Amino acid sequence: MPKLNIALIGAGRRGAGSHLPVISKLKDTYNLVAICDIDEKSAIQHAEKYRVNAYTSVRDLVEKEQLDVVDITVPGVAHHAVTCFVANAGISVICETPIAVSLPMADLMIETANKNNVKLEIAENYYRAPKERFLSEVINAGIIGDVSRIYRIFYEGGYHGMSMLRLRTNGNPKSILGISQVSPIIPIIDRMKRYHTSDKWSFGFLEFDNNSTAIMIYSNVIHARSLGRGQNGISQIDGSQGTIVGEEIHIVHQENIETGATSTGYLPQRVMVDINGVQVIDKIKLELPNQQVQWDNPFKNYQLSEGQIAVADELLSIANAIIQDTDPEYGAIPARQDQEMNIGMNESAQRNRETIPFPIIDPTETETKIHENYEREYGHPIDDVEAGIDTFFPRR
Ligand SMILES: NC(=O)c1ccc[n+]([C@@H]2O[C@H](COP(=O)([O-])OP(=O)(O)OC[C@H]3O[C@@H](n4cnc5c(N)ncnc54)[C@H](O)[C@@H]3O)[C@@H](O)[C@H]2O)c1
């Protein structure tokens, strides 16, 4: 099978820290040809490390290299500009999360990819983590019956959190109620090198079209495990026959149904394997009295750490879509929907807890402000893609 020529745009924390090490391990699929970053020092440093060409301009990269796909890891506010420019050059894109910071920006990306007949994948990684893939197997096998309620507290928030809730309920969101509260903290830099001056706490209550509901609570400080908060995430998935509490799967056996309906808890087992001297996750399995469910690591020969598996998974999703001319596994429409749920939650909180129905038709006040701030800060409107790619988008 021919290899795909790939370049990375935005060699910052996520691009250089998580994507490049994985791309360089997927040697049978990808030929990394270039790294582009508007910050020259960063472009050269990483290009030298991977022995590829360095660029400081997306324009030059696209003009000079023969590319099948570009991996975009610039800040979220720049996703639309870089994606549209690259797609207009006929190159497929995998872009980091969120798809964009507003729905009109996401729509620009989706329209431009469609118009140019290129593939667009969004690097949503949470559901691709081994333990989540395993839980998907458990739920799809009907072990806990139909999912009715989800509590996801002090885990990832925003579009990541929404994507997990949508996946686990297997429904389309009908409406959301959001509450938020901002409280000051001593200024800190968290372990992800993000600067925080406040604890931005949010609560979301979601209703889905299949009658399931979900509650999530998140805070920027909890996510980063800073200020000592966030050690205990609470995750519970209630089904019609059982519950998943954290990693433990609880089932009520037939003989107990009419005598208290108390459950038996089962913990999954992680099985490791030695691949050429490296310990790699082989499978996660659940053994029940009459049934076994398991997730097998399809990437074990790449010798990836557990954290790298989700990144490999998304990178191979766009590769398969290009090679087999199919849709990427997650794709831009679900990514837009997850961001729509997130925007809806924030809008509800802004509007004094008014429930927001889906779909959101017109730009919300928050999005209009995002567009105004963008124009004020960067000196061009959101749809000026040419100006966008030449703009430096600083770290937030
Ligand atoms: N999926 C996840 O779990 C996850 C985690 C962290 C970050 N992210 C996403 O990854 C993306 C990058 O985040 P980060 O924390 O690495 O940001 P960052 O600021 O560390 O890196 C961004 C890089 O883009 C470069 N850049 C800015 N404007 C550019 C332009 N016009 N052309 C070329 N390069 C340009 C910057 O110089 C910088 O090196 C964001 O979209 C973020 O939301 C996702």
Side-chain angles (χ1 to χ4, degrees):
M1 197 143 21
K3 286 197 205 180
L4 301 176
N5 281 350
I6 189 168
L8 179 124
I9 303 179
R13 288 165 293 190
R14 187 75 184 158
S18 302
H19 287 228
L20 286 173
V22 175
I23 293 173
S24 68
K25 285 190 176 183
L26 303 179
K27 286 198 174 63
D28 52 353
T29 302
Y30 284 123
N31 185 22
L32 178 66
V33 294
I35 294 171
C36 170
D37 198 297
I38 204 164
D39 172 358
E40 189 174 6
K41 202 171 138 227
S42 180
I44 291 175
Q45 179 199 337
H46 296 291
E48 276 177 0
K49 178 171 173 193
Y50 290 94
R51 296 167 197 267
V52 296
N53 297 329
Y55 292 90
T56 54
S57 145
V58 175
R59 205 182 297 284
D60 292 347
L61 168 79
V62 163
E63 201 183 291
K64 300 211 174 108
E65 297 288 348
Q66 290 289 319
L67 297 169
D68 299 300
V69 56
V70 157
D71 183 6
I72 298 177
T73 54
V74 296
V77 71
H79 286 175
H80 70 291
V82 181
T83 298
C84 291
F85 188 87
V86 168
N88 274 330
I91 302 164
S92 291
V93 167
I94 173 157
C95 177
E96 250 305 340
T97 55
I99 179 170
V101 292
S102 75
L103 299 179
M105 285 158 143
D107 290 337
L108 215 55
M109 294 164 71
I110 295 168
E111 281 159 25
T112 310
N114 287 344
K115 191 179 75 191
N116 290 288
N117 206 17
V118 298
K119 310 288 181 189
L120 172 59
E121 176 62 310
I122 304 302
E124 179 51 63
N125 47 327
Y126 279 74
Y127 81 95
R128 291 175 153 123
K131 69 177 170 47
E132 299 297 350
R133 286 285 198 195
F134 162 74
L135 285 184
S136 293
E137 296 285 344
V138 171
I139 293 169
N140 293 342
I143 306 278
I144 61 160
D146 292 331
V147 171
S148 49
R149 268 183 296 278
I150 298 188
Y151 308 85
R152 214 170 159 83
I153 297 172
F154 305 157
Y155 277 85
E156 69 294 323
Y159 37 84
H160 289 308
M162 295 300 170
S163 84
M164 290 307 306
L165 300 178
R166 198 172 51 75
L167 173 79
R168 292 282 172 250
T169 55
N170 198 21
N172 269 315
K174 255 183 16 185
S175 68
I176 192 160
L177 163 76
I179 301 175
S180 67
Q181 196 197 24
V182 179
S183 53
I185 54 169
I186 52 160
I188 52 161
I189 295 174
D190 68 32
R191 65 184 170 89
M192 314 277 283
K193 301 194 177 69
R194 296 173 181 146
Y195 181 63
H196 305 272
T197 53
S198 55
D199 179 359
K200 299 185 192 88
W201 180 93
S202 53
F203 166 96
F205 173 73
L206 272 144
E207 282 185 305
F208 291 86
D209 61 359
N210 58 3
N211 209 27
S212 53
T213 53
I215 286 174
M216 68 157 255
I217 296 179
Y218 173 73
S219 145
N220 54 320
V221 177
I222 283 160
H223 170 73
R225 305 280 187 269
S226 24
L227 284 172
R229 296 178 198 168
Q231 289 85 348
N232 300 313
I234 299 165
S235 163
Q236 181 164 320
I237 304 172
D238 288 349
S240 51
Q241 283 170 221
T243 295
I244 303 173
V245 186
E247 291 214 343
E248 198 167 25
I249 291 112
H250 286 258
I251 303 159
V252 181
H253 290 298
Q254 191 62 34
E255 62 272 22
N256 297 329
I257 281 184
E258 293 181 0
T259 53
T262 44
S263 68
T264 310
Y266 296 89
L267 273 172
Q269 249 183 292
R270 268 156 198 272
V271 181
M272 304 299 285
V273 62
D274 185 301
I275 307 272
N276 300 328
V278 181
Q279 282 292 306
V280 181
I281 187 161
D282 181 32
K283 54 174 78 91
I284 306 180
K285 61 177 186 179
L286 175 69
E287 278 175 11
L288 301 175
N290 305 318
Q291 203 176 352
Q292 177 164 322
V293 182
Q294 73 184 45
W295 167 85
D296 291 293
N297 179 5
F299 311 118
K300 55 185 168 226
N301 289 328
Y302 291 118
Q303 301 182 339
L304 301 161
S305 69
E306 199 162 328
Q308 290 180 323
I309 287 174
V311 179
D313 192 331
E314 65 208 20
L315 283 160
L316 292 174
S317 164
I318 185 73
N320 288 338
I322 297 168
I323 294 164
Q324 292 163 14
D325 194 16
T326 53
D327 289 333
E329 193 208 10
Y330 176 66
I333 301 295
R336 183 193 187 281
Q337 196 172 23
D338 293 335
Q339 179 62 309
E340 182 183 24
M341 291 157 74
N342 180 40
I343 286 170
M345 184 178 75
N346 294 333
E347 189 68 10
S348 168
Q350 289 287 320
R351 291 197 208 165
N352 206 14
R353 304 171 192 182
E354 180 188 321
T355 299
I356 305 291
F358 294 116
I360 295 175
I361 308 289
D362 297 316
T364 59
E365 252 178 60
T366 321
E367 290 176 292
T368 305
K369 272 201 199 112
I370 289 173
H371 296 169
E372 286 167 4
N373 288 344
Y374 180 99
E375 191 158 347
R376 193 174 322 111
E377 196 167 337
Y378 303 116
H380 59 267
I382 57 159
D383 55 1
D384 189 344
V385 165
E386 295 279 334
I389 59 156
D390 294 329
T391 302
F392 171 59
F393 293 89
R395 175 171 286 196
R396 294 272 173 229

